[in-house]
Amino acid sequence: MLKNSKKSYGLVAILIHWLMAIAIFFMFGLGLYMVELTYYDPWYKGALDLHKSIGMSLIALWVLRLLWRQVNERPDELPGPKLEQVAARVGHFLLYVLMLLILVSGYLISTADGRPISVFELINVPAFPWSFDNQEDIVGEVHFWLAWALIGFVVVHIGAALKHQFINKDGALSRILKVNKEN
């Protein structure tokens, strides 16, 4: 089943979800590693190029995820207190917003010098024709704190999923782990 049903997410949504989850944790770790490298470190440029390429790929995946979400039905909300349901909607919205802000800030850091971003040496994504003074430093600080905020929200998201699965026993985690072949 490629599409979502009322009971669970389809294969496309599941793959996009887990690809982004893995990439976000990888990018966070790579980002922490990169800031410790010196200019003369042999992997300084390689780590930076990889971070930029994955970041640009994540922008495309984020857009695809949003489009897929719009054209697909969503599984029914899980039963529970109204406050939990509102918190889940707000939490998911904030995850999307934080992902977008991090991706845009990464783009602004990478293009602050006016040069395009090479994505895996396959395509070049052009820079905006404008920039502002100290763009790389200012946006870099924002990017840093957004990354930590996103990881914090992801940890809460994981905690909520585990709570639903093991305390509420409502199968929440199963909906994003495996494709339900029944509608």
Side-chain angles (χ1 to χ4, degrees):
M1 180 174 73
L2 293 176
K3 291 184 150 197
N4 301 343
S5 71
K6 291 285 186 191
K7 292 182 181 180
S8 72
Y9 291 96
L11 183 60
V12 174
I14 290 171
L15 287 175
I16 293 172
H17 176 272
W18 291 109
L19 276 172
M20 289 193 77
I22 291 165
I24 286 167
F25 278 108
F26 177 77
M27 291 287 279
F28 184 74
L30 182 59
L32 291 176
Y33 172 71
M34 281 175 19
V35 296
E36 298 300 320
L37 297 175
T38 65
Y39 181 77
Y40 298 104
D41 191 290
W43 216 61
Y44 177 82
K45 183 169 175 11
L48 192 58
D49 289 344
L50 180 61
H51 195 81
K52 290 178 187 181
S53 291
I54 294 173
M56 295 309 299
S57 301
L58 279 171
I59 289 174
L61 197 55
W62 185 90
V63 170
L64 175 65
R65 182 179 190 160
L66 202 62
L67 290 172
W68 188 255
R69 184 179 164 108
Q70 295 306 311
V71 301
N72 241 303
E73 73 177 319
R74 277 188 244 159
D76 290 334
E77 284 190 355
L78 296 169
K82 190 73 174 163
L83 183 60
E84 264 186 27
Q85 292 175 344
V86 170
R89 283 193 299 274
V90 169
H92 281 104
F93 175 78
L94 289 173
L95 283 169
Y96 277 91
V97 169
L98 282 169
M99 284 186 279
L100 178 63
L101 292 174
I102 288 170
L103 294 166
V104 169
S105 65
Y107 169 81
L108 291 174
I109 295 164
S110 300
T111 59
D113 60 2
R115 289 185 288 168
I117 299 172
S118 174
V119 181
F120 297 113
E121 297 182 4
L122 297 173
I123 62 168
N124 286 327
V125 177
F128 281 133
W130 53 265
S131 64
F132 55 88
D133 290 339
N134 299 322
Q135 178 173 316
E136 189 174 7
D137 295 332
I138 294 167
V139 180
E141 187 73 16
V142 170
H143 189 73
F144 174 84
W145 290 110
L146 286 171
W148 278 103
L150 178 61
I151 291 299
F153 271 89
V154 167
V155 167
V156 170
H157 179 69
I158 292 168
L162 293 173
K163 178 217 176 257
H164 275 279
Q165 186 69 23
F166 298 111
I167 295 174
N168 296 16
K169 297 184 193 273
D170 56 16
L173 198 54
S174 300
R175 296 180 349 157
I176 198 68
L177 282 175
K178 63 182 179 176
V179 176
N180 186 353
K181 293 181 174 74
E182 305 165 13
N183 285 342

